[in-house]
Amino acid sequence: MPGNPDHINLWLLEDGDGWTVVDTGMNIPSMRDIWEQLFEGFMKGKPVKRVIVTHLHPDHIGLAGWMTRRFDCRLWISREEYMMCKAMVTDTGKPAPDVAINFYKAAGVGEEVLERYRQRFGHFGEMISPLPDSYRRLKNGETIEINDRYWQVIVGSGHSPEHVLLYCPALKILISGDQILPRETSNVSVMPPEPDSDPLDEWMASCANIREQMPGNVLVLPAHEEPFKGVGVRLTQLIEFHKDKLSQLFNLVDEPKQVVECFPAVFRREISGGATLPAVGETLAHLNSLIQRRMVMRQENPDGVDTYLQLPDACKFE
């Protein structure tokens, strides 16, 4: 794939006289070419019977519409992922809304980065083949049968609104999408349409919930990087990682700080250029979590740039 990460793992599940596909890749010519080779090669000309998509990001859903039309099969996806993707695609070709520009200005983002955002706004839909007008909803806790084995649907949140994971007890396999990665931590961000949201709390609660459901010997098939075992340990690492960032961030805002001044508490690397806006979203996710815990307050200033400060009676983050 273009960009970082530069690859995605897509999963083919043999399903009787056909295949179930889990995630599809971006809507770009090179990826369609790879699929065409697979259809006639490894997949032996057997049809795709259904397309399951873990969540709405283009590297996962980008070719779902193309594939379901090609094989006259259904898209299986959770409701929030389908509906939000449909809504976001409608931004294609539109100018960046004032509310989004003001959202990033309030975080302390400079004009050069804002101009890049204006130019790139609406490109989301260009990476996604038009979705089908109906779908099969996936719900948390339900089971679906694939090749005479049942797979349980587990729903996570935080990285995306209703992210689907698939667990097969017989095979001891968990297809985790972006919800669980072996080394990287998935982006958890506040976005302009919902500036007061608390996706980090949803993320950590999801990690704890999945940890309770998974036995220790499961093989995790993630969307990026290599398959791995030790899902309970990894989920604990993810939870503790974000708790550590919350603690560092709380300590940093003992004096008023803009969002962009809070980057050192959340990231180990220098943030600049194209990395700035995702960093704003993730930093705000941590700040909003501290606000919800009544540890930090947001101050709106006359210059339009917000600052964040420890509440006077707040205790150290635990």
Side-chain angles (χ1 to χ4, degrees), residues 238-310:
L238 289 169
I239 294 168
E240 293 304 316
F241 172 84
H242 286 291
K243 285 183 176 179
D244 180 61
K245 296 304 177 187
L246 287 169
S247 178
Q248 292 183 46
L249 186 56
F250 175 75
N251 293 335
L252 181 67
V253 294
D254 57 344
E255 295 182 356
K257 297 287 192 306
Q258 299 175 12
V259 173
V260 295
E261 295 173 328
C262 293
F263 288 168
V266 182
F267 304 100
R268 298 188 184 99
R269 65 188 188 280
E270 182 88 16
I271 300 296
S272 62
T276 302
L277 298 188
V280 165
E282 190 141 8
T283 302
L284 276 168
H286 289 77
L287 286 166
N288 281 6
S289 180
L290 291 172
I291 289 172
Q292 292 299 318
R293 297 165 191 262
R294 301 185 183 279
M295 300 178 68
V296 165
M297 62 179 175
R298 179 176 62 244
Q299 301 171 314
E300 297 181 3
N301 299 307
D303 62 359
V305 180
D306 296 340
T307 52
Y308 295 79
L309 180 66
Q310 290 178 8

Side-chain angles (χ1 to χ4, degrees), residues 111-180:
E111 185 56 39
E112 183 180 344
V113 175
L114 289 174
E115 184 56 33
R116 185 183 291 116
Y117 175 71
R118 291 186 185 97
Q119 293 173 5
R120 293 184 57 82
F121 183 82
H123 284 205
F124 177 88
E126 297 173 2
M127 297 179 285
I128 296 175
S129 174
L131 293 179
D133 292 322
S134 69
Y135 70 103
R136 162 61 161 82
R137 181 188 177 190
L138 291 172
K139 295 180 287 186
N140 186 51
E142 75 168 304
T143 59
I144 57 179
E145 188 172 297
I146 302 173
N147 211 35
D148 298 325
R149 291 189 175 95
Y150 82 84
W151 292 72
Q152 181 183 356
V153 175
I154 300 171
V155 169
S157 188
H159 176 66
S160 68
E162 199 178 3
H163 186 301
V164 166
L165 302 85
L166 296 172
Y167 170 52
C168 179
L171 296 175
K172 291 185 169 51
I173 284 176
L174 176 68
I175 298 178
S176 67
D178 284 349
Q179 192 74 26
I180 313 171

Side-chain angles (χ1 to χ4, degrees), residues 13-25:
L13 304 180
E14 199 163 17
D15 195 1
D17 58 355
W19 298 90
T20 287
V21 171
V22 183
D23 288 339
T24 64

